[in-house]
């Protein structure tokens, strides 16, 4: 049976999530907006959602389930939405470009 790590959305981003327009497709989520929660076993994300509905900490829209696969650093993500679950991924910022000190100077401000 698959094991899931629950990432609970913090309250401030949850307010933004609540009022954002619904979009379909792959959702990109930022780790800084989440607190790692408990791990739980369930056959599917829906089975886990149903089981937690009767607990003190049900899944709420915006919460993310990460399937824990053996040997994987990060597993596949599912974000809880008002209409079910959708595939998600962690946001990864693009690496900053390094500046070559011997490269060309923009705007012609180089001294000759």
């Amino acid at each position: 049976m698959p094991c899931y790590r629950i990432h609970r959305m913090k309250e401030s981003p949850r307010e933004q999530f609540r009022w954002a327009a619904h979009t379909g497709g792959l959702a990109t989520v930022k780790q800084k907006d989440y607190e790692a929660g408990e791990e739980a076993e369930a056959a599917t994300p829906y089975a886990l959602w149903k089981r937690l509905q009767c607990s003190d900490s049900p899944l709420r829209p915006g919460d993310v389930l990460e399937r824990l696969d053996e040997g994987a650093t990060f597993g596949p993500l599912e974000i809880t939405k008002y209409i079910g679950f959708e595939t998600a991924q962690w946001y990864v910022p693009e690496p900053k470009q390094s500046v070559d000190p011997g490269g060309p100077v923009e705007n012609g401000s180089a001294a000759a």
Side-chain angles (χ1 to χ4, degrees):
M1 188 173 305
C3 186
Y4 296 92
R5 177 177 296 127
I6 301 169
H7 298 272
R8 304 285 182 170
M9 184 177 264
K10 295 176 182 176
E11 284 307 312
S12 178
R14 190 178 305 278
E15 281 299 312
Q16 295 172 0
F17 184 84
R18 178 177 292 130
W19 298 109
H22 171 72
T23 56
L26 182 67
T28 301
V29 294
K30 296 180 179 181
Q31 286 184 317
K32 69 180 183 87
D33 293 339
Y34 291 86
E35 295 173 348
E38 67 274 18
E39 294 179 8
E41 288 187 357
T44 66
Y46 289 98
L48 182 57
W49 174 83
K50 186 168 177 77
R51 188 174 77 217
L52 292 177
Q53 284 306 104
C54 300
S55 74
D56 291 337
S57 55
L59 288 177
R60 296 171 54 196
D63 290 345
V64 169
L65 298 180
E66 177 182 8
R67 193 173 76 215
L68 301 176
D69 295 333
E70 267 189 58
T73 305
F74 294 104
L77 303 178
E78 298 278 338
I79 187 168
T80 310
K81 295 228 174 166
Y82 293 99
I83 58 167
F85 292 92
E86 290 189 1
T87 305
Q89 69 181 9
W90 293 120
Y91 170 75
V92 178
E94 297 210 11
K96 294 190 179 201
Q97 298 284 337
S98 62
V99 178
D100 181 8
V105 177
E106 294 183 24
N107 298 331
S109 59

